[in-house]
């Protein structure tokens, strides 16, 4: 399938929030608590994306938020930003409508993030993922990232405690 990828704007906050919640509920239904998932709100999430000085859609550069479309329907988004490590960007988020997993939209979004990172001088990129998110971990590995096992740690998220691990694309060129 061919997907159209473009830079997301504040006008996209509602659709980004919708996908964010749909994807979260699908990917983490057996990880996050039911109470947490049931408490997610598109309106609240959209506000967080455009909140002054905090929301990645409001900040703009150096953050890069990209949206994927099938025809005129947004089906996914990804978010890349700088880190405190010199030359290393972070794939902060990549979420897809669950019906589009495995159809190439995730790879297209990842490529947009890599292009953005390299055009802004980054040589490497990392992502942090829940250790139990086997779908995301397999995707990262298929796209050339390696697990940095020494980064695995326990965090509080989604109403529970879960382990996260970082993945690294050591060379973006």
């Amino acid at each position: 399938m061919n997907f159209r990828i473009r830079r997301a704007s504040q006008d996209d906050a509602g659709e980004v929030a919708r996908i964010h919640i749909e994807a979260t509920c699908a990917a983490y239904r057996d990880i996050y608590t039911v109470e947490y998932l049931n408490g997610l709100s598109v309106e609240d999430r959209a506000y967080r994306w455009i909140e002054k000085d905090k929301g990645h859609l409001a900040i703009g550069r150096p953050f890069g938020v990209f949206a994927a479309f099938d025809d005129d329907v947004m089906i996914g988004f990804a978010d890349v930003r700088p880190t405190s490590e010199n030359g290393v960007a972070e794939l902060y988020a990549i979420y897809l409508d669950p019906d589009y997993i495995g159809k190439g939209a995730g790879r297209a979004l990842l490529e947009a993030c890599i292009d953005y990172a390299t055009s802004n001088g980054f040589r490497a990129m990392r992502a942090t993922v829940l250790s139990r998110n086997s779908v995301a971990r397999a995707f990262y590995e298929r796209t050339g990232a390696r697990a940095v096992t020494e980064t695995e740690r326990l965090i509080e998220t989604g109403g529970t405690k879960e382990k996260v691990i970082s993945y690294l694309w050591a060379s973006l060129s």
Side-chain angles (χ1 to χ4, degrees):
M1 297 181 84
N2 265 345
F3 300 101
R4 182 172 55 91
I5 308 294
R6 69 160 169 80
R7 188 89 186 251
S9 73
Q10 291 189 50
D11 293 340
D12 296 314
E15 283 299 288
V16 167
R18 176 189 61 81
I19 290 165
H20 200 168
I21 289 175
E22 286 177 8
T24 296
C25 289
Y28 304 129
R29 69 179 169 271
D30 296 326
I31 298 174
Y32 288 173
T33 66
V34 171
E35 295 79 18
Y36 175 82
L37 293 173
N38 287 343
L40 294 174
S41 152
V42 171
E43 294 77 18
D44 175 63
R45 190 62 52 138
Y47 173 75
R48 288 187 194 186
W49 279 100
I50 60 171
E51 186 177 2
K52 185 178 183 315
D53 299 328
K54 292 182 182 178
H56 294 186
L57 288 173
I59 295 171
R61 288 191 182 273
F63 293 85
V65 182
F66 297 90
F69 293 84
D70 184 8
D71 291 322
D72 290 330
V73 178
M74 188 185 295
I75 52 93
F77 73 91
D79 186 1
V80 63
R81 67 181 186 178
T83 68
S84 59
E85 296 173 65
N86 191 25
V88 180
E90 178 182 22
L91 179 64
Y92 183 72
I94 186 165
Y95 286 88
L96 293 175
D97 176 315
D99 292 337
Y100 285 86
I101 292 174
K103 296 183 178 176
R107 186 172 292 270
L109 284 165
L110 178 64
E111 288 171 5
C113 289
I114 289 171
D115 290 346
Y116 180 80
T118 57
S119 71
N120 283 278
F122 295 100
R123 299 178 312 278
M125 187 167 68
R126 69 173 160 86
T128 301
V129 62
L130 290 178
S131 297
R132 291 183 12 185
N133 187 342
S134 57
V135 172
R137 292 184 69 172
F139 172 72
Y140 293 158
E141 290 167 11
R142 280 193 312 274
T143 59
R146 69 169 178 80
V148 184
T149 55
E150 63 271 17
T151 64
E152 192 168 49
R153 68 189 190 286
L154 194 64
I155 65 165
E156 288 191 32
T157 181
T160 187
K161 290 184 179 179
E162 284 293 325
K163 286 184 181 178
V164 294
I165 190 167
S166 292
Y167 274 77
L168 179 68
W169 291 265
S171 176
L172 297 180
S173 54

